[in-house]
């Protein structure tokens, strides 16, 4: 693999002491230590006499030189241990020329900590005795013999950044179960082998081969836990085979990721793993992945979901040691037998937080066509790379580089054979059992018919499967930690401020009663003025009694019909209760009805007297009322408008936008948002007025200029459009969008020369900005990445309104033609591209997430443009911080698409998409397909949407917006089960999708449908924290109500009602809560508004009626 430095680095290993040693010829033998690594001799220590206590001070140092030029590599440190062999030197006998030595034991040192960024570490490793060694029987009272070892390097082999970005892949091959009956433990000895390839950097793949499987007869299960073994041959001490602190622990079948993890497979697996033959390896092989190799691994997994794991056996023929050449020749002549393959689905490693795959995988006969069709692999690891891999001692789980030119030559040779034979099917189309050319009676040479792989067919007949574990040190896709999720959920419901301490007493109770009387009297007087005017009170002496009585009746009728009478009573209730408790000291139930009536009469007289006192002290009616009102912010109003758009309630959306304009008429963001909304509803004249109003507030505002130009083009005022666009390029010569829109304008005018000029300038500015971004430090990039986070988009994917406005906006022939031509081209281009090039995966994970986010922004805008998100996006878009995004778009056209999608300029979007498709730097990409998917989603063309989402997923499987849009697709098409799965995956990504608000809303809605109320509550709480609205509080209130948490439900529903008191469903659930807690007046009031606002949910209405019948109140019509 690529090394981190071109210089040779040295690892120093020092053996300091040995403990509890003894020899063959006594308890104080003379011993020395020999160090070996990678089958190379590193050195011997001095001969040291062991003390009577069994201690030896060796102080022996050996070195390992790491060289990037074909020597020992970091990958060798990852999967090969250091061996320390302790040998006893026997005393010389008479006439003996050379000293005799006997091996006592062997210790293993794992050097993996050096790849974790450590400069040094100390460890005490056990000294495992060889067979027949006196160390097998330790001294009385002593522990197992051991060695003290120190390992250090001059400087860390990897920097902290490299340690963070690199990874370690571990592959554990446990066993193959239910092997064919023809596998016999007697007869010629066989070498059972399994191999797979690991993608690396550049043109190299790394190969892992697990050799020397142990064929066992059935009878009992393999024990768990059992140690994992080093994939190294010729280890002297049996105990040294085991990797320290590494065990196979097994687990329930249902929790595995393989193919035999269903309940119906349990019986077969129990039988296979207990009574049938199996081949056991228990080997773990490691592969160190540099940062670039990690990206290569992600890309390979995304491109090839299934990886081939080959299995075979080769006869082991023992030849004299003096004839190694003969041995090699004889074995090379042996052909592979029982050549099979298992297909391992690696995609789960791309799930957020997943670091491990373990499961059972069926073994099938190895057939070239089938393997290529499933894995895109053109050559066999064992057959096509030669037997030198099989007999190379470098691994057992050997990792040896295989240069890809070999695979390319094989590919050319195979494809050449197919090309020479006309009419023969492509390699991927070959099928078993007999595949013949249409022009020949002989089978294809590149494919062995099933009848030629009868040995492999026995795997299917026997039901053979292998148990394999693939583990990474760090997840390829990080996931939010549970602690972080818990903290964020806790933040979603901040503690309410403590209640203000109030002074009590009878005097305070009466004073509060006076205050309430004064407030209510002012409210009634205001209502009277509204009905009859202020002149009525001034000319009261001139009004006869009959007229006054009539006005009184009308006023009482209005107060009762509007519900204000009941509201006044509720407002006064608390003050009356305080008087009862504080002045009359009544806190317990009355003993008799007579006592109650007496008290009520006394209380009534007192309250009436105090009412007159308060009225006589009434404040003039011009004093403002003390009634508090909830003020919504501009951002909240914008959110409410987006929600209304998604629900196709354009009238309510317009009300919210207009309210923002009334509150802040000097805020140009409000005008831009409203103009974008008018574009959505195809009111171009009003949109033009809004954009020009924004421009009048700031004549140097670039985006206002550009939008005025866009509207001028749509209204065919081309002279004005040219002025707007050119003015924008003059005010901000580095603005890529301004130059691109100017080029598009010149294209409409058929001015090719100026069009090329504008596009060239846009490319130049983009290139300069890209270079400037690359020069920034990594810390700056990380900070910018956080700043790129876009406010949740509130409308894109929920486009339920799309049909009317979206189809209208596409009504022009130009856009329709452009879109249809794109569709036709894309039906062919992805197929051709899939054959000629691999999907593009971003190499750097951090940049990948950034790119995902930008692409998501675009997508969201697309849907947005049509229905709802447009406005929210547009205002977010016009936010200066949003435009300081450090991540440059792939092309000038994609950046322009993002801008246009925010304002729903659909005609321009179609034109720019055509340029993006033909642009040399552009072409089909994840973001491109996401835009197309969203365009078709707005048109409710679900089939096309799914097709484009599949293309997007192939190019960027880790893009959270891909899963978010998939969720919206399934939600809108009614497949809520699939939508739920997609939404849950989306929120598990570390990087948020660009429209999390509606993802939370729809996921919560699905949870409510499926009666998963705890999950619904948690989801709506997150939505309330991010962007509270009437719908988020309503969902939270419903979840709490269904969980019988009535207090929390009432609080949430009250919040929803405060934000929108015209939502019938909110009133309906408030009625249910009041019914459950026994508050009759509030229940009847809420029910009245439910009916008045015409609740459409008949099931909910029937539920209210049912509860009313159960409690006996709540419906005034009873």
């Amino acid at each position: 693999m690529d090394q981190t430095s071109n210089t040779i680095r040295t690892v120093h290993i020092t053996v300091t002491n040995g403990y509890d040693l003894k020899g063959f010829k006594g308890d104080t033998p003379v011993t020395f230590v020999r160090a070996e690594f990678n089958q190379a001799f590193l050195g011997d220590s001095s001969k040291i006499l062991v003390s009577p206590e069994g201690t030896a001070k060796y102080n022996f140092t050996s070195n390992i030189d790491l060289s990037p030029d074909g020597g020992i590599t970091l990958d060798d440190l990852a999967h090969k241990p250091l061996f320390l062999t302790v040998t006893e030197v026997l005393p010389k006998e008479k006439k003996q020329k050379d000293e005799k030595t006997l091996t006592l034991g062997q210790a293993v040192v794992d050097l993996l900590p050096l790849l974790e960024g450590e400069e040094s570490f100390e460890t005490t490793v056990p000294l495992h005795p060889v067979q027949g060694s006196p160390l097998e029987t330790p001294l009385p009272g002593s522990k197992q013999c051991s060695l003290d070892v120190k390992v250090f390097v001059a400087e860390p082999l990897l920097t902290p950044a490299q340690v963070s970005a690199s990874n370690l892949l571990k592959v554990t091959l446990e066993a193959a179960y239910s092997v064919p009956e023809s596998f016999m433990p007697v007869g010629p000895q066989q070498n059972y082998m399994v191999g797979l390839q690991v993608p690396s950097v550049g043109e190299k793949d790394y190969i892992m081969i697990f050799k020397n499987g142990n064929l066992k007869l059935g009878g009992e299960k393999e024990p768990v836990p059992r140690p994992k073994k080093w994939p190294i041959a010729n280890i002297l001490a049996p105990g040294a085979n085991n990797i320290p602190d590494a065990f196979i622990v097994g687990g329930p079948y249902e929790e595995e990721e393989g193919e035999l993890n269903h309940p119906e497979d349990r019986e077969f697996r129990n039988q296979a793993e207990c009574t049938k033959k199996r081949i056991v390896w228990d080997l773990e092989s490691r592969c160190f992945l540099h940062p670039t190799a990690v990206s290569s691994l992600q890309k390979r997994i995304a491109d090839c979901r299934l990886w081939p794991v080959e299995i075979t056996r080769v006869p082991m023929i023992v030849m004299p040691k003096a004839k190694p050449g003969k041995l090699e020749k004889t074995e090379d002549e042996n052909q592979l037998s029982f050549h099979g393959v298992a297909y391992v689905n690696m995609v789960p490693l791309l799930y957020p937080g997943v670091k491990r795959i373990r499961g059972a995988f069926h073994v099938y006969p190895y057939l070239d066509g089938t393997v290529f069709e499933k894995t895109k692999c053109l050559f066999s690891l064992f057959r096509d790379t030669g037997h030198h891999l099989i007999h190379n001692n470098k691994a057992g789980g050997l990792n040896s580089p295989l240069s890809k030119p070999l695979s390319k030559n094989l590919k050319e040779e195979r494809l050449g054979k197919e090309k020479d034979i006309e009419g023969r099917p492509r390699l991927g189309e070959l099928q078993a059992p007999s595949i013949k050319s249409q022009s020949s009676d002989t089978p294809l040479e590149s494919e062995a018919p099933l009848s030629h792989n009868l040995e492999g067919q026995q795997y299917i007949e026997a039901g053979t499967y292998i148990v394999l574990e693939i583990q990474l040190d760090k997840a390829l896709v990080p996931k939010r930690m549970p602690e972080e999720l818990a903290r964020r959920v806790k933040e979603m419901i901040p503690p309410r401020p403590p209640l203000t301490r109030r002074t009590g007493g009878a005097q305070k109770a009466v004073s509060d009663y006076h205050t309430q009387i004064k407030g209510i009297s002012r409210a009634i007087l205001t209502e009277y003025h509204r009905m009859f005017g202020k002149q009525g009170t001034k000319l009261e002496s001139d009004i006869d009694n009959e007229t006054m009585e009539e006005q009184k009746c009308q006023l009482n009728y209005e107060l009762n019909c509007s519900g204000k009478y009941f509201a006044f009573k509720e407002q006064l209730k608390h003050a009356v209760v305080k008087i009862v408790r504080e002045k009359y000291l009544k806190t317990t139930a009355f003993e008799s009805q007579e006592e109650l009536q007496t008290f009520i009469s006394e209380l009534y007289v007192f309250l009436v007297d105090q009412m007159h006192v308060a009225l006589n002290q009434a404040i003039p009616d011009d004093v403002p009322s003390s009634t508090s009102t909830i003020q919504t912010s501009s951002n909240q109003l914008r959110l409410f408008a987006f929600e209304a758009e998604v629900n196709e309630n354009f009238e309510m959306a317009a009300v919210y936008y207009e309210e923002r304009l009334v509150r802040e008429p000097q805020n140009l963001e409000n005008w831009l948002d409203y103009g974008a909304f008018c574009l959505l509803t195809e009111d171009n004249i009003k949109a033009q007025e809004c954009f020009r109003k924004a421009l009048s507030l700031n004549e140097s505002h670039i985006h206002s200029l550009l939008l005025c130009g866009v509207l001028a083009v749509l209204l065919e005022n081309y002279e004005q459009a040219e002025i707007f666009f050119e003015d924008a390029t003059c005010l901000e010569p580095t603005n890529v969008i301004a130059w691109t829109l100017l080029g598009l304008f010149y294209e409409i005018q058929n001015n090719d020369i100026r069009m090329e000029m504008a596009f060239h300038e846009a490319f130049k500015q983009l290139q300069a900005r890209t270079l400037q971004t690359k020069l920034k430090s990594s810390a700056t990039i990380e900070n910018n990445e956080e700043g790129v986070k876009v406010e949740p988009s509130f409308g894109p994917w929920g486009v339920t309104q799309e049909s009317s406005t979206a189809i209208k906006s596409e009504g022009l022939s130009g856009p329709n033609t452009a879109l249809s031509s794109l569709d036709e081209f894309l039906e062919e281009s992805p197929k051709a591209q899939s054959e000629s090039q691999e999907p593009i995966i971003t190499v750097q994970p951090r940049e990948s997430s950034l790119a995902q986010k930008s692409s998501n922004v675009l997508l969201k805008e697309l849907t947005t443009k049509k229905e709802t998100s447009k406005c929210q996006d547009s205002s977010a878009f016009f936010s200066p911080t949003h435009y300081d995004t450090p991540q440059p778009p792939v092309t000038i056209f994609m950046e322009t698409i993002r801008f246009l999608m925010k304002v729903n300029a659909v005609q321009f979007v179609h034109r720019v998409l055509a340029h993006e498709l033909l642009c040399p730097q552009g072409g089909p990409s994840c973001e491109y397909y996401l835009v197309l998917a969203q365009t078709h989603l707005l048109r409710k063309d679900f089939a096309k949407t799914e097709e484009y989402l599949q293309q997007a997923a192939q190019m960027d499987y880790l893009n959270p917006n891909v899963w978010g849009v998939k969720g919206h697709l399934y939600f809108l098409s009614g497949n809520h089960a699939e939508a739920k799965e997609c939404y849950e995956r989306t929120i598990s990504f570390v990087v948020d999708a660009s429209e999390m608000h509606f993802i939370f809303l729809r996921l919560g809605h699905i949870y409510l449908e499926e009666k998963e109320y705890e999950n619904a509550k948690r989801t709506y709480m997150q939505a309330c924290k991010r962007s509270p609205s009437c719908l988020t509080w309503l969902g939270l209130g419903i979840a709490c109500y269904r969980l019988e948490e009535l207090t929390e439900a009432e609080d949430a529903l009250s919040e929803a009602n405060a934000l929108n008191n015209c939502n019938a469903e909110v009133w309906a659930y408030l009625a249910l809560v009041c019914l459950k807690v026994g508050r009759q007046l509030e229940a009847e009031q809420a029910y009245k508004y439910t009916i008045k606002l015409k609740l459409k949910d008949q099931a909910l209405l029937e539920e209210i009626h049912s509860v009313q019948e159960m409690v006996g109140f709540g419906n005034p019509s009873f």
Side-chain angles (χ1 to χ4, degrees):
M1 285 198 172
D2 297 339
Q3 299 299 303
T4 58
S5 172
N6 292 327
T7 60
I8 296 178
R9 300 187 181 187
T10 302
V11 179
H12 306 280
I13 303 101
T14 300
V15 182
T16 55
N17 302 309
Y19 301 101
D20 300 310
L21 302 175
K22 64 178 182 177
F24 286 92
K25 299 297 184 180
D27 295 336
T28 58
V30 176
T31 61
F32 68 90
V33 176
R34 170 167 295 176
E36 297 172 285
F37 181 78
N38 196 23
Q39 299 184 354
F41 170 73
L42 300 182
D44 289 340
S45 71
S46 301
K47 298 174 183 177
I48 304 298
L49 179 66
V50 177
S51 69
E53 294 78 18
T55 302
K57 297 185 178 297
Y58 294 107
N59 293 322
F60 161 61
T61 300
S62 57
N63 302 321
I64 299 175
D65 293 330
L66 301 179
S67 172
D69 303 324
I72 296 175
T73 64
L74 295 181
D75 187 62
D76 292 322
L77 296 183
H79 76 276
K80 297 176 183 177
L82 170 75
F83 292 102
L84 300 174
T85 306
V86 177
T87 305
E88 178 184 1
V89 180
L90 300 179
K92 286 186 179 180
E93 298 179 358
K94 294 180 180 181
K95 300 181 182 181
Q96 180 180 335
K97 296 182 180 180
D98 299 327
E99 293 178 335
K100 288 187 178 181
T101 60
L102 292 175
T103 301
L104 293 176
Q106 197 171 44
V108 178
V109 180
D110 192 350
L111 301 177
L112 190 60
L114 296 178
L115 299 181
E116 298 172 351
E118 297 187 17
E119 294 184 46
S120 63
F121 66 92
E122 298 182 12
T123 181
T124 299
V125 294
L127 183 64
H128 303 282
V130 299
Q131 291 184 353
S133 168
L135 300 181
E136 291 181 327
T137 56
L139 295 171
S142 64
K143 301 179 181 179
Q144 182 181 6
C145 46
S146 58
L147 300 176
D148 282 344
V149 182
K150 297 180 180 179
V151 180
F152 63 94
V153 291
E155 60 182 13
L157 300 181
L158 297 172
T159 65
Q162 290 171 331
V163 171
S164 176
S166 60
N167 215 326
L168 182 70
L169 176 68
K170 299 178 182 179
V171 179
T172 301
L173 177 63
E174 299 181 16
Y177 293 99
S178 188
V179 297
E181 289 297 327
S182 55
F183 286 14
M184 303 296 294
V186 296
Q189 197 170 0
Q190 303 286 342
N191 188 355
Y192 299 97
M193 295 179 292
V194 170
L196 72 154
Q197 303 171 66
V198 177
S200 180
V201 187
E203 297 185 346
K204 294 183 178 180
D205 270 0
Y206 275 72
I207 295 175
M208 290 184 177
I209 295 182
F210 301 86
K211 303 191 299 183
N212 302 321
N214 182 19
L215 178 62
K216 293 184 177 181
L217 298 177
E220 61 181 10
K221 257 193 167 184
E222 295 297 315
V224 288
R226 60 185 186 274
K228 298 180 181 180
K229 299 176 182 178
W230 293 104
I232 307 295
N234 304 323
I235 298 178
L236 300 178
N241 282 295
N242 301 333
I243 301 176
D245 301 322
F247 298 92
I248 296 172
V249 296
Y253 301 145
E254 293 78 7
E255 296 179 5
E256 296 178 352
E257 290 81 17
E259 300 169 341
L260 293 165
N261 54 359
H262 303 292
E264 57 269 22
D265 301 318
R266 173 179 292 275
E267 182 179 355
F268 169 72
R269 288 194 60 175
N270 283 334
Q271 183 181 8
E273 295 174 19
C274 291
T275 62
K276 294 189 177 182
K277 295 179 184 177
R278 81 283 309 267
I279 303 171
V280 180
W281 286 271
D282 291 344
L283 299 177
E284 176 185 277
S285 186
R286 304 168 178 170
C287 179
F288 178 72
L289 302 174
H290 288 264
T292 48
V294 174
S295 299
S296 179
L297 177 66
Q298 291 181 354
K299 181 178 184 299
R300 181 71 65 85
I301 295 175
D303 291 345
C304 309
R305 301 173 63 92
L306 300 178
W307 283 19
V309 177
E310 297 182 44
I311 181 171
T312 189
R313 79 174 190 183
V314 176
M316 297 178 64
I317 303 176
V318 180
M319 299 296 291
K321 294 184 179 179
K323 300 180 181 180
K326 180 63 177 176
L327 172 64
E328 181 180 356
K329 180 178 180 182
T330 303
E331 292 188 343
D332 281 350
E333 292 175 353
N334 293 324
Q335 296 183 355
L336 299 176
S337 61
F338 292 94
H339 192 189
V341 61
Y343 302 103
V344 179
N345 183 10
M346 301 288 285
V347 173
L349 289 179
L350 295 182
Y351 296 166
V354 174
K355 299 189 291 185
R356 175 176 175 266
I357 293 177
R358 180 182 180 273
F361 303 91
H362 283 295
V363 178
Y364 301 93
Y366 190 97
L367 300 172
D368 287 330
T370 305
V371 172
F372 175 75
E373 180 182 357
K374 292 187 176 183
T375 68
K376 302 180 183 178
C377 183
L378 279 168
F379 67 94
S380 165
L381 186 62
F382 291 130
R383 184 192 64 211
D384 296 332
T385 59
H387 288 291
H388 67 280
L389 287 177
I390 298 174
H391 302 298
N392 192 339
N393 286 332
K394 209 156 104 175
L398 95 112
N399 286 355
S400 67
L402 170 68
S403 106
K404 277 205 180 163
L406 174 60
S407 65
K408 290 180 180 178
N409 293 338
L410 287 167
K411 179 178 179 180
E412 293 172 1
E413 179 181 352
R414 291 171 182 268
L415 295 180
K417 289 179 180 180
E418 294 179 39
K419 192 173 182 180
D420 292 340
I421 306 176
E422 295 183 359
R424 291 191 178 182
R426 301 181 61 86
L427 192 60
E429 298 170 353
L430 300 178
Q431 298 179 355
S434 178
I435 299 125
K436 297 186 178 182
S437 166
Q438 295 178 3
S439 58
S440 171
D441 294 333
T442 59
L444 287 176
E445 297 176 5
S446 60
E447 172 68 287
L450 187 60
S451 59
H452 293 178
N453 195 2
L454 294 178
E455 292 179 335
Q457 181 67 16
Q458 293 185 36
Y459 288 125
I460 296 179
E461 296 170 356
T464 305
Y465 62 91
I466 61 172
V467 178
L468 192 71
E469 179 187 76
I470 300 175
Q471 186 172 2
L472 291 163
D473 188 52
K474 295 183 284 288
L476 295 177
V477 184
K479 184 179 181 179
R480 293 186 180 97
M481 299 300 293
E483 296 79 7
E484 179 190 359
L485 291 173
R487 176 182 58 80
R488 294 182 65 174
V489 169
K490 187 176 180 180
E491 291 174 354
M492 291 176 187
I493 306 182
R496 293 183 180 271
L499 295 175
T500 305
R501 201 183 248 314
R502 298 177 181 177
T503 58
Q507 185 176 356
K508 181 66 169 58
V510 175
S511 176
D512 290 345
Y513 176 75
H514 288 173
T515 302
Q516 293 296 333
I517 290 293
K518 292 174 183 178
I520 292 172
S521 66
R522 284 194 297 268
I524 294 175
L525 187 58
T526 301
E527 184 67 19
Y528 179 87
H529 288 161
R530 185 185 67 80
M531 295 178 62
F532 308 109
K534 291 190 176 183
Q535 295 300 323
T537 56
K538 294 180 180 180
L539 303 176
E540 184 178 81
S541 58
D542 298 334
I543 302 177
D544 55 31
N545 292 336
E546 184 177 348
T547 303
M548 291 183 63
E549 192 66 24
E550 182 179 352
Q551 289 182 352
K552 179 181 176 181
C553 292
Q554 292 180 18
L555 180 61
N556 286 334
Y557 178 83
E558 179 63 25
L559 291 177
N560 279 278
C561 290
S562 64
K564 293 180 181 179
Y565 174 80
F566 298 100
F568 293 154
K569 288 177 63 177
E570 288 299 310
Q571 185 176 340
L572 198 59
K573 181 194 295 185
H574 182 68
V576 174
V577 170
K578 287 180 63 177
I579 288 177
V580 172
R581 292 178 176 176
E582 300 295 335
K583 183 172 180 60
Y584 290 93
L585 304 178
K586 295 292 185 180
T587 57
T588 59
F590 293 93
E591 296 180 356
S592 65
Q593 188 68 21
E594 292 76 15
E595 182 182 357
L596 173 61
Q597 290 298 331
T598 301
F599 174 76
I600 290 177
S601 299
E602 180 183 357
L603 177 63
Y604 178 79
V605 172
F606 177 82
L607 292 177
V608 171
D609 291 341
Q610 293 301 318
M611 179 187 69
H612 290 300
V613 172
L615 291 176
N616 290 333
Q617 300 172 352
I619 304 173
D621 57 359
D622 57 343
V623 176
S625 170
S626 62
T627 306
S628 61
T629 57
I630 297 178
Q631 293 293 332
T632 53
S633 67
S634 179
N635 288 336
Q636 283 181 308
L637 291 174
R638 183 177 60 181
L639 171 60
F640 302 162
F642 287 139
E643 289 183 332
E645 291 176 20
V646 171
N647 295 322
E648 300 184 11
N649 191 346
F650 297 114
E651 292 182 3
M652 181 60 68
V655 169
Y656 286 127
Y657 283 122
E658 290 168 0
E659 184 174 348
R660 295 180 72 208
L661 293 176
V662 171
R663 288 188 182 184
E664 299 177 293
Q666 302 302 312
N667 188 330
L668 58 79
E669 264 195 34
N670 296 344
W671 290 102
L672 293 175
D673 287 345
Y674 190 33
F677 169 73
C678 294
L679 271 181
L680 178 65
T681 57
E682 295 190 337
D683 191 347
N684 292 348
I685 300 298
K686 186 176 288 188
Q688 184 183 51
E689 293 176 1
C690 293
F691 294 145
R692 294 198 177 192
K693 178 64 177 179
L695 187 59
S696 68
L697 296 174
N698 183 357
E699 295 179 353
S700 300
H701 192 256
I702 298 300
H703 298 137
S704 299
L705 275 169
L706 295 178
L707 290 174
C708 286
V710 168
L711 262 296
V713 172
L714 295 179
L715 297 174
E716 298 183 358
N717 297 326
Y718 297 118
E719 292 183 6
Q720 296 180 7
E722 186 173 12
I723 293 173
F724 287 131
F725 290 138
E726 287 189 357
D727 191 20
T729 58
C730 291
L731 288 173
E732 194 173 326
T734 60
N735 192 296
V736 175
I737 298 174
W739 286 110
T740 307
L741 287 176
L742 181 60
L744 293 169
F745 167 77
Y746 285 134
E747 181 188 34
I748 295 173
Q749 297 293 301
N750 295 321
N751 191 335
D752 296 338
I753 296 177
R754 292 198 178 187
M755 177 190 70
E756 293 174 5
M757 176 273 298
F759 287 159
H760 174 75
E761 187 66 25
F763 275 114
K764 186 174 72 172
Q765 297 301 329
L766 179 63
Q767 188 175 10
R769 192 174 68 186
T770 303
L771 180 61
Q772 194 175 25
T773 302
K774 289 182 179 179
L775 295 178
K776 293 182 180 179
S777 65
S778 59
T780 305
I781 292 177
E782 290 176 5
N783 293 336
N784 287 343
E785 251 180 45
E786 296 175 1
V788 166
K789 197 163 193 174
V790 180
E791 219 178 314
S793 152
F794 306 115
W797 317 130
V799 185
T800 52
Q801 81 179 44
E802 49 76 19
S803 57
S804 60
T805 54
I807 295 177
K808 286 182 184 177
S809 60
E810 294 172 0
L812 298 179
S813 60
N816 272 336
T817 306
L819 185 60
S820 60
S821 64
L822 291 177
D823 293 342
E824 293 173 3
F825 176 84
L826 286 171
E827 291 187 3
E828 298 179 3
S829 69
K831 300 176 183 177
Q833 192 179 21
S834 64
E835 297 173 358
S836 62
Q837 69 182 63
E838 299 177 356
I840 299 172
I841 294 287
T842 308
V843 174
Q844 295 294 339
R846 202 170 304 185
E847 296 177 2
S848 161
S849 65
L850 239 176
Q852 290 170 214
K853 191 167 280 195
S854 334
S855 83
N856 307 342
V857 169
L858 166 65
L859 295 184
K860 117 203 195 168
E861 296 151 4
L862 234 198
T863 348
T864 274
K865 85 180 164 94
K866 289 236 165 146
E867 333 175 347
T868 128
S869 78
K870 148 243 147 110
C871 296
Q872 134 102 17
D873 289 344
S874 106
S875 63
F877 171 85
F878 294 114
S879 166
T881 55
H882 176 81
Y883 277 97
D884 289 338
T885 213
Q887 171 70 17
V890 177
T891 67
I892 62 172
F893 302 111
M894 192 55 70
E895 179 170 349
T896 305
I897 288 172
R898 295 167 190 163
F899 171 79
L900 294 174
M901 290 308 303
K902 292 179 181 295
V903 295
N904 300 318
V906 181
Q907 296 88 339
F908 266 84
V909 169
H910 292 161
R911 184 177 293 275
V912 185
L913 278 173
H915 280 280
E916 172 69 15
L917 184 63
L918 301 175
C919 177
Q921 295 83 9
S925 63
C926 177
E927 186 172 5
Y928 179 84
Y929 283 119
L930 277 171
V931 173
L932 285 172
Q934 224 168 339
T935 302
H936 287 279
L937 184 61
L938 292 172
R939 299 164 57 185
K940 293 191 176 179
D941 186 351
F942 298 140
K944 278 287 186 182
T945 301
E946 186 169 12
E947 176 185 341
Y948 291 138
L949 285 176
Q950 292 294 341
Q951 296 287 345
Q954 288 183 9
M955 293 191 168
D956 190 354
Y957 195 82
L958 311 181
N959 192 324
N961 280 305
V962 173
W963 296 100
V965 178
K966 274 190 175 182
H968 296 312
L969 166 66
Y970 292 129
F971 185 89
L972 294 176
S973 60
N975 189 347
H976 287 188
E978 291 290 344
K980 173 185 172 183
E981 182 179 348
C982 292
Y983 288 147
E984 288 176 338
R985 177 171 295 184
T986 303
I987 64 176
S988 69
F989 281 101
V990 172
V991 180
D992 284 339
S994 57
E995 79 308 340
M996 294 299 293
H997 180 79
F998 281 109
I999 288 177
F1000 282 126
L1001 279 181
R1002 288 177 169 174
L1003 180 57
H1005 176 77
I1006 295 172
Y1007 282 142
L1008 290 177
E1009 281 187 341
E1010 298 182 355
K1011 299 184 179 181
E1012 298 181 25
Y1013 300 125
E1014 286 288 355
N1015 290 336
K1017 177 181 176 182
R1018 183 167 56 253
T1019 302
Y1020 280 119
M1021 281 166 51
Q1022 297 185 58
C1024 290
K1025 174 63 178 177
R1026 286 171 168 265
S1027 46
S1029 68
C1030 175
L1031 297 183
T1032 60
W1033 287 113
L1034 171 61
L1036 180 58
I1038 296 173
C1040 292
Y1041 173 77
R1042 297 304 180 189
L1043 292 170
E1044 298 295 332
E1045 299 172 359
L1046 300 182
T1047 302
E1048 292 82 353
E1050 184 175 10
D1051 290 342
L1053 292 170
S1054 298
E1055 293 285 348
N1057 191 272
L1059 294 174
N1060 181 5
N1061 61 1
C1062 295
N1063 189 307
E1065 194 171 0
V1066 174
W1067 285 108
Y1069 278 98
L1070 279 172
L1072 285 172
V1073 171
C1074 293
L1075 289 170
K1076 287 292 183 70
V1077 299
R1079 298 209 299 266
Q1080 180 176 353
L1081 292 179
E1082 293 95 324
E1084 292 179 353
Q1085 184 76 3
Y1087 177 71
K1088 184 184 74 172
Y1089 280 108
T1090 301
I1091 300 302
K1092 184 177 180 179
L1093 294 171
K1094 299 178 181 178
L1095 178 66
K1096 297 180 180 179
D1097 190 342
Q1098 292 300 318
L1100 180 57
L1101 192 59
E1102 291 175 2
E1103 182 180 358
I1104 294 175
H1105 291 160
S1106 175
V1107 176
Q1108 288 172 342
E1109 293 177 2
M1110 181 178 64
V1111 300
F1113 62 83
N1115 189 345
S1117 63
F1118 281 173

